[in-house]
mmCIF file of all heavy atoms in Angstrom:
data_model
loop_
_atom_site.group_PDB
_atom_site.id
_atom_site.type_symbol
_atom_site.label_atom_id
_atom_site.label_comp_id
_atom_site.label_asym_id
_atom_site.label_seq_id
_atom_site.Cartn_x
_atom_site.Cartn_y
_atom_site.Cartn_z
ATOM 1 N N VAL E 394 -23.690 1.130 10.375
ATOM 2 C CA VAL E 394 -24.911 1.837 9.960
ATOM 3 C C VAL E 394 -25.524 1.170 8.736
ATOM 4 O O VAL E 394 -26.736 0.920 8.678
ATOM 5 C CB VAL E 394 -24.603 3.318 9.663
ATOM 6 C CG1 VAL E 394 -25.854 4.029 9.149
ATOM 7 C CG2 VAL E 394 -24.092 4.018 10.913
ATOM 8 N N SER E 395 -24.696 0.864 7.736
ATOM 9 C CA SER E 395 -25.225 0.252 6.512
ATOM 10 C C SER E 395 -25.802 -1.134 6.773
ATOM 11 O O SER E 395 -26.680 -1.595 6.047
ATOM 12 C CB SER E 395 -24.120 0.163 5.453
ATOM 13 O OG SER E 395 -23.098 -0.717 5.866
ATOM 14 N N LYS E 396 -25.321 -1.791 7.831
ATOM 15 C CA LYS E 396 -25.749 -3.152 8.119
ATOM 16 C C LYS E 396 -27.067 -3.213 8.878
ATOM 17 O O LYS E 396 -27.902 -4.078 8.608
ATOM 18 C CB LYS E 396 -24.652 -3.875 8.915
ATOM 19 C CG LYS E 396 -24.983 -5.322 9.252
ATOM 20 C CD LYS E 396 -23.772 -6.062 9.797
ATOM 21 C CE LYS E 396 -23.243 -5.445 11.067
ATOM 22 N NZ LYS E 396 -22.139 -6.234 11.655
ATOM 23 N N ILE E 397 -27.269 -2.304 9.842
ATOM 24 C CA ILE E 397 -28.426 -2.455 10.725
ATOM 25 C C ILE E 397 -29.503 -1.393 10.523
ATOM 26 O O ILE E 397 -30.622 -1.567 11.004
ATOM 27 C CB ILE E 397 -28.000 -2.461 12.208
ATOM 28 C CG1 ILE E 397 -27.550 -1.070 12.656
ATOM 29 C CG2 ILE E 397 -26.910 -3.493 12.455
ATOM 30 C CD1 ILE E 397 -27.297 -0.977 14.153
ATOM 31 N N ALA E 398 -29.198 -0.290 9.823
ATOM 32 C CA ALA E 398 -30.195 0.781 9.681
ATOM 33 C C ALA E 398 -31.349 0.327 8.791
ATOM 34 O O ALA E 398 -31.132 -0.326 7.760
ATOM 35 C CB ALA E 398 -29.547 2.027 9.098
ATOM 36 N N PRO E 399 -32.591 0.647 9.145
ATOM 37 C CA PRO E 399 -33.733 0.348 8.273
ATOM 38 C C PRO E 399 -33.579 1.013 6.919
ATOM 39 O O PRO E 399 -33.154 2.168 6.830
ATOM 40 C CB PRO E 399 -34.928 0.938 9.047
ATOM 41 C CG PRO E 399 -34.470 1.014 10.469
ATOM 42 C CD PRO E 399 -32.998 1.277 10.414
ATOM 43 N N ALA E 400 -33.897 0.302 5.858
ATOM 44 C CA ALA E 400 -33.674 0.802 4.502
ATOM 45 C C ALA E 400 -34.423 2.104 4.231
ATOM 46 O O ALA E 400 -33.938 2.969 3.511
ATOM 47 C CB ALA E 400 -34.094 -0.261 3.487
ATOM 48 N N SER E 401 -35.602 2.251 4.845
ATOM 49 C CA SER E 401 -36.430 3.414 4.552
ATOM 50 C C SER E 401 -35.858 4.709 5.105
ATOM 51 O O SER E 401 -36.227 5.791 4.654
ATOM 52 C CB SER E 401 -37.841 3.206 5.110
ATOM 53 O OG SER E 401 -37.787 3.008 6.507
ATOM 54 N N ILE E 402 -34.960 4.614 6.106
ATOM 55 C CA ILE E 402 -34.374 5.821 6.685
ATOM 56 C C ILE E 402 -32.850 5.702 6.743
ATOM 57 O O ILE E 402 -32.208 6.290 7.610
ATOM 58 C CB ILE E 402 -34.948 6.111 8.086
ATOM 59 C CG1 ILE E 402 -34.782 4.894 9.011
ATOM 60 C CG2 ILE E 402 -36.393 6.537 8.009
ATOM 61 C CD1 ILE E 402 -35.125 5.188 10.458
ATOM 62 N N LEU E 403 -32.277 4.958 5.802
ATOM 63 C CA LEU E 403 -30.825 4.746 5.802
ATOM 64 C C LEU E 403 -30.072 6.059 5.658
ATOM 65 O O LEU E 403 -29.113 6.324 6.384
ATOM 66 C CB LEU E 403 -30.442 3.785 4.674
ATOM 67 C CG LEU E 403 -28.941 3.545 4.461
ATOM 68 C CD1 LEU E 403 -28.305 2.994 5.724
ATOM 69 C CD2 LEU E 403 -28.713 2.607 3.289
ATOM 70 N N SER E 404 -30.482 6.913 4.723
ATOM 71 C CA SER E 404 -29.778 8.181 4.510
ATOM 72 C C SER E 404 -29.852 9.061 5.746
ATOM 73 O O SER E 404 -28.872 9.707 6.128
ATOM 74 C CB SER E 404 -30.370 8.915 3.303
ATOM 75 O OG SER E 404 -30.186 8.171 2.122
ATOM 76 N N LEU E 405 -31.017 9.088 6.373
ATOM 77 C CA LEU E 405 -31.184 9.897 7.569
ATOM 78 C C LEU E 405 -30.264 9.419 8.686
ATOM 79 O O LEU E 405 -29.595 10.208 9.358
ATOM 80 C CB LEU E 405 -32.637 9.867 8.031
ATOM 81 C CG LEU E 405 -32.950 10.603 9.332
ATOM 82 C CD1 LEU E 405 -32.647 12.087 9.201
ATOM 83 C CD2 LEU E 405 -34.412 10.386 9.727
ATOM 84 N N LEU E 406 -30.211 8.095 8.901
ATOM 85 C CA LEU E 406 -29.376 7.560 9.959
ATOM 86 C C LEU E 406 -27.889 7.682 9.630
ATOM 87 O O LEU E 406 -27.065 7.863 10.527
ATOM 88 C CB LEU E 406 -29.738 6.102 10.246
ATOM 89 C CG LEU E 406 -31.090 5.899 10.921
ATOM 90 C CD1 LEU E 406 -31.369 4.421 11.143
ATOM 91 C CD2 LEU E 406 -31.155 6.649 12.250
ATOM 92 N N MET E 407 -27.536 7.604 8.351
ATOM 93 C CA MET E 407 -26.142 7.833 7.978
ATOM 94 C C MET E 407 -25.762 9.277 8.270
ATOM 95 O O MET E 407 -24.657 9.570 8.755
ATOM 96 C CB MET E 407 -25.928 7.515 6.498
ATOM 97 C CG MET E 407 -24.475 7.594 6.056
ATOM 98 S SD MET E 407 -23.403 6.362 6.865
ATOM 99 C CE MET E 407 -23.807 4.899 5.901
ATOM 100 N N GLY E 408 -26.682 10.192 7.983
ATOM 101 C CA GLY E 408 -26.438 11.593 8.320
ATOM 102 C C GLY E 408 -26.313 11.797 9.815
ATOM 103 O O GLY E 408 -25.477 12.569 10.289
ATOM 104 N N LEU E 409 -27.138 11.092 10.575
ATOM 105 C CA LEU E 409 -27.057 11.174 12.029
ATOM 106 C C LEU E 409 -25.713 10.644 12.520
ATOM 107 O O LEU E 409 -25.105 11.210 13.438
ATOM 108 C CB LEU E 409 -28.192 10.377 12.664
ATOM 109 C CG LEU E 409 -28.230 10.350 14.192
ATOM 110 C CD1 LEU E 409 -28.478 11.748 14.741
ATOM 111 C CD2 LEU E 409 -29.306 9.389 14.692
ATOM 112 N N TRP E 410 -25.240 9.557 11.917
ATOM 113 C CA TRP E 410 -23.945 9.013 12.321
ATOM 114 C C TRP E 410 -22.826 10.005 12.004
ATOM 115 O O TRP E 410 -21.903 10.180 12.804
ATOM 116 C CB TRP E 410 -23.696 7.684 11.616
ATOM 117 C CG TRP E 410 -22.487 6.973 12.132
ATOM 118 C CD1 TRP E 410 -21.259 6.898 11.547
ATOM 119 C CD2 TRP E 410 -22.384 6.234 13.354
ATOM 120 N NE1 TRP E 410 -20.396 6.172 12.325
ATOM 121 C CE2 TRP E 410 -21.064 5.747 13.445
ATOM 122 C CE3 TRP E 410 -23.285 5.947 14.376
ATOM 123 C CZ2 TRP E 410 -20.617 4.992 14.508
ATOM 124 C CZ3 TRP E 410 -22.839 5.191 15.440
ATOM 125 C CH2 TRP E 410 -21.527 4.714 15.506
ATOM 126 N N LEU E 411 -22.895 10.664 10.840
ATOM 127 C CA LEU E 411 -21.904 11.686 10.510
ATOM 128 C C LEU E 411 -21.963 12.843 11.504
ATOM 129 O O LEU E 411 -20.957 13.526 11.736
ATOM 130 C CB LEU E 411 -22.124 12.209 9.086
ATOM 131 C CG LEU E 411 -21.773 11.244 7.955
ATOM 132 C CD1 LEU E 411 -22.187 11.836 6.617
ATOM 133 C CD2 LEU E 411 -20.288 10.919 7.949
ATOM 134 N N ALA E 412 -23.134 13.045 12.102
ATOM 135 C CA ALA E 412 -23.268 14.115 13.088
ATOM 136 C C ALA E 412 -22.464 13.840 14.353
ATOM 137 O O ALA E 412 -22.241 14.754 15.151
ATOM 138 C CB ALA E 412 -24.741 14.328 13.443
ATOM 139 N N THR E 413 -22.013 12.593 14.561
ATOM 140 C CA THR E 413 -21.085 12.361 15.673
ATOM 141 C C THR E 413 -19.798 13.152 15.448
ATOM 142 O O THR E 413 -19.187 13.626 16.412
ATOM 143 C CB THR E 413 -20.757 10.864 15.833
ATOM 144 O OG1 THR E 413 -20.147 10.365 14.624
ATOM 145 C CG2 THR E 413 -22.011 10.060 16.130
ATOM 146 N N SER E 414 -19.392 13.277 14.190
ATOM 147 C CA SER E 414 -18.216 14.099 13.883
ATOM 148 C C SER E 414 -18.520 15.575 14.117
ATOM 149 O O SER E 414 -17.637 16.341 14.522
ATOM 150 C CB SER E 414 -17.779 13.876 12.431
ATOM 151 O OG SER E 414 -17.292 12.568 12.248
ATOM 152 N N PHE E 415 -19.762 15.991 13.859
ATOM 153 C CA PHE E 415 -20.157 17.373 14.145
ATOM 154 C C PHE E 415 -20.019 17.671 15.631
ATOM 155 O O PHE E 415 -19.344 18.617 16.036
ATOM 156 C CB PHE E 415 -21.604 17.594 13.696
ATOM 157 C CG PHE E 415 -22.252 18.826 14.270
ATOM 158 C CD1 PHE E 415 -21.844 20.085 13.877
ATOM 159 C CD2 PHE E 415 -23.268 18.716 15.208
ATOM 160 C CE1 PHE E 415 -22.436 21.227 14.412
ATOM 161 C CE2 PHE E 415 -23.861 19.835 15.750
ATOM 162 C CZ PHE E 415 -23.442 21.098 15.350
ATOM 163 N N ALA E 416 -20.628 16.828 16.464
ATOM 164 C CA ALA E 416 -20.545 17.034 17.910
ATOM 165 C C ALA E 416 -19.103 16.908 18.389
ATOM 166 O O ALA E 416 -18.632 17.694 19.230
ATOM 167 C CB ALA E 416 -21.440 16.023 18.630
ATOM 168 N N GLY E 417 -18.390 15.916 17.844
ATOM 169 C CA GLY E 417 -17.011 15.708 18.256
ATOM 170 C C GLY E 417 -16.100 16.865 17.896
ATOM 171 O O GLY E 417 -15.239 17.262 18.683
ATOM 172 N N ASN E 418 -16.281 17.444 16.723
ATOM 173 C CA ASN E 418 -15.433 18.555 16.314
ATOM 174 C C ASN E 418 -15.731 19.821 17.104
ATOM 175 O O ASN E 418 -14.824 20.608 17.391
ATOM 176 C CB ASN E 418 -15.572 18.808 14.814
ATOM 177 C CG ASN E 418 -14.679 17.912 13.983
ATOM 178 O OD1 ASN E 418 -13.494 18.161 13.852
ATOM 179 N ND2 ASN E 418 -15.246 16.842 13.447
ATOM 180 N N LEU E 419 -16.994 20.043 17.448
ATOM 181 C CA LEU E 419 -17.302 21.175 18.316
ATOM 182 C C LEU E 419 -16.608 21.005 19.664
ATOM 183 O O LEU E 419 -16.015 21.949 20.207
ATOM 184 C CB LEU E 419 -18.810 21.294 18.516
ATOM 185 C CG LEU E 419 -19.644 21.731 17.309
ATOM 186 C CD1 LEU E 419 -21.108 21.877 17.709
ATOM 187 C CD2 LEU E 419 -19.133 23.040 16.728
ATOM 188 N N LEU E 420 -16.675 19.794 20.206
ATOM 189 C CA LEU E 420 -16.001 19.515 21.475
ATOM 190 C C LEU E 420 -14.487 19.608 21.316
ATOM 191 O O LEU E 420 -13.779 20.080 22.215
ATOM 192 C CB LEU E 420 -16.400 18.130 21.985
ATOM 193 C CG LEU E 420 -15.807 17.686 23.329
ATOM 194 C CD1 LEU E 420 -16.144 18.685 24.427
ATOM 195 C CD2 LEU E 420 -16.313 16.290 23.704
ATOM 196 N N ALA E 421 -13.978 19.185 20.151
ATOM 197 C CA ALA E 421 -12.538 19.272 19.894
ATOM 198 C C ALA E 421 -12.066 20.722 19.930
ATOM 199 O O ALA E 421 -10.997 21.032 20.471
ATOM 200 C CB ALA E 421 -12.202 18.637 18.549
ATOM 201 N N GLY E 422 -12.851 21.614 19.346
ATOM 202 C CA GLY E 422 -12.496 23.030 19.382
ATOM 203 C C GLY E 422 -12.491 23.579 20.794
ATOM 204 O O GLY E 422 -11.598 24.351 21.181
ATOM 205 N N TRP E 423 -13.480 23.181 21.603
ATOM 206 C CA TRP E 423 -13.547 23.630 22.996
ATOM 207 C C TRP E 423 -12.356 23.111 23.789
ATOM 208 O O TRP E 423 -11.720 23.841 24.546
ATOM 209 C CB TRP E 423 -14.860 23.177 23.623
ATOM 210 C CG TRP E 423 -15.017 23.589 25.059
ATOM 211 C CD1 TRP E 423 -15.270 24.847 25.525
ATOM 212 C CD2 TRP E 423 -14.918 22.733 26.208
ATOM 213 N NE1 TRP E 423 -15.340 24.836 26.898
ATOM 214 C CE2 TRP E 423 -15.131 23.562 27.353
ATOM 215 C CE3 TRP E 423 -14.695 21.374 26.390
ATOM 216 C CZ2 TRP E 423 -15.106 23.048 28.638
ATOM 217 C CZ3 TRP E 423 -14.666 20.857 27.673
ATOM 218 C CH2 TRP E 423 -14.875 21.697 28.785
ATOM 219 N N LEU E 424 -12.022 21.827 23.604
ATOM 220 C CA LEU E 424 -10.871 21.252 24.296
ATOM 221 C C LEU E 424 -9.571 21.925 23.863
ATOM 222 O O LEU E 424 -8.678 22.171 24.687
ATOM 223 C CB LEU E 424 -10.790 19.749 24.021
ATOM 224 C CG LEU E 424 -11.887 18.875 24.635
ATOM 225 C CD1 LEU E 424 -11.777 17.440 24.112
ATOM 226 C CD2 LEU E 424 -11.811 18.886 26.156
ATOM 227 N N GLY E 425 -9.468 22.243 22.569
ATOM 228 C CA GLY E 425 -8.270 22.909 22.079
ATOM 229 C C GLY E 425 -8.047 24.270 22.705
ATOM 230 O O GLY E 425 -6.914 24.757 22.770
ATOM 231 N N GLY E 426 -9.134 24.883 23.195
ATOM 232 C CA GLY E 426 -8.999 26.179 23.848
ATOM 233 C C GLY E 426 -8.197 26.138 25.131
ATOM 234 O O GLY E 426 -7.737 27.176 25.617
ATOM 235 N N PHE E 427 -7.999 24.947 25.713
ATOM 236 C CA PHE E 427 -7.211 24.808 26.931
ATOM 237 C C PHE E 427 -5.715 24.697 26.658
ATOM 238 O O PHE E 427 -4.908 24.648 27.597
ATOM 239 C CB PHE E 427 -7.663 23.563 27.719
ATOM 240 C CG PHE E 427 -9.047 23.677 28.288
ATOM 241 C CD1 PHE E 427 -10.121 23.055 27.669
ATOM 242 C CD2 PHE E 427 -9.285 24.407 29.445
ATOM 243 C CE1 PHE E 427 -11.395 23.155 28.181
ATOM 244 C CE2 PHE E 427 -10.552 24.511 29.973
ATOM 245 C CZ PHE E 427 -11.624 23.895 29.344
ATOM 246 N N TRP E 428 -5.314 24.611 25.391
ATOM 247 C CA TRP E 428 -3.920 24.357 25.032
ATOM 248 C C TRP E 428 -2.970 25.394 25.632
ATOM 249 O O TRP E 428 -1.927 25.045 26.198
ATOM 250 C CB TRP E 428 -3.791 24.332 23.516
ATOM 251 C CG TRP E 428 -2.391 24.173 23.004
ATOM 252 C CD1 TRP E 428 -1.579 25.154 22.508
ATOM 253 C CD2 TRP E 428 -1.633 22.961 22.927
ATOM 254 N NE1 TRP E 428 -0.371 24.634 22.124
ATOM 255 C CE2 TRP E 428 -0.379 23.288 22.372
ATOM 256 C CE3 TRP E 428 -1.886 21.641 23.268
ATOM 257 C CZ2 TRP E 428 0.612 22.339 22.147
ATOM 258 C CZ3 TRP E 428 -0.899 20.685 23.052
ATOM 259 C CH2 TRP E 428 0.329 21.036 22.499
ATOM 260 N N SER E 429 -3.327 26.658 25.522
ATOM 261 C CA SER E 429 -2.433 27.712 26.000
ATOM 262 C C SER E 429 -2.398 27.814 27.514
ATOM 263 O O SER E 429 -1.397 28.261 28.092
ATOM 264 C CB SER E 429 -2.860 29.067 25.410
ATOM 265 O OG SER E 429 -2.756 29.063 24.005
ATOM 266 N N ALA E 430 -3.482 27.424 28.174
ATOM 267 C CA ALA E 430 -3.592 27.610 29.620
ATOM 268 C C ALA E 430 -3.074 26.426 30.422
ATOM 269 O O ALA E 430 -2.840 26.553 31.622
ATOM 270 C CB ALA E 430 -5.050 27.889 29.993
ATOM 271 N N MET E 431 -2.900 25.267 29.800
ATOM 272 C CA MET E 431 -2.507 24.060 30.520
ATOM 273 C C MET E 431 -1.070 23.664 30.184
ATOM 274 O O MET E 431 -0.559 23.993 29.105
ATOM 275 C CB MET E 431 -3.437 22.886 30.158
ATOM 276 C CG MET E 431 -4.872 23.044 30.609
ATOM 277 S SD MET E 431 -5.897 21.612 30.124
ATOM 278 C CE MET E 431 -5.175 20.316 31.144
ATOM 279 N N GLY E 432 -0.444 22.936 31.103
ATOM 280 C CA GLY E 432 0.807 22.290 30.781
ATOM 281 C C GLY E 432 0.569 21.212 29.742
ATOM 282 O O GLY E 432 -0.514 20.611 29.687
ATOM 283 N N LYS E 433 1.541 20.956 28.905
ATOM 284 C CA LYS E 433 1.320 20.038 27.797
ATOM 285 C C LYS E 433 1.148 18.588 28.273
ATOM 286 O O LYS E 433 0.372 17.831 27.685
ATOM 287 C CB LYS E 433 2.473 20.133 26.790
ATOM 288 C CG LYS E 433 2.617 21.541 26.210
ATOM 289 C CD LYS E 433 1.293 22.052 25.621
ATOM 290 C CE LYS E 433 1.324 23.522 25.263
ATOM 291 N NZ LYS E 433 0.802 24.402 26.306
ATOM 292 N N VAL E 434 1.845 18.215 29.352
ATOM 293 C CA VAL E 434 1.638 16.875 29.902
ATOM 294 C C VAL E 434 0.193 16.715 30.351
ATOM 295 O O VAL E 434 -0.476 15.720 30.020
ATOM 296 C CB VAL E 434 2.595 16.617 31.086
ATOM 297 C CG1 VAL E 434 2.271 15.271 31.736
ATOM 298 C CG2 VAL E 434 4.044 16.647 30.629
#
Side-chain angles (χ1 to χ4, degrees):
V394 176
S395 65
K396 181 169 61 175
I397 71 172
S401 59
I402 55 171
L403 175 59
S404 297
L405 176 62
L406 290 179
M407 186 64 79
L409 179 64
W410 188 257
L411 289 174
T413 60
S414 293
F415 164 69
N418 276 281
L419 290 183
L420 181 57
W423 180 73
L424 291 172
F427 292 101
W428 176 258
S429 297
M431 294 180 67
K433 300 307 170 265
V434 174

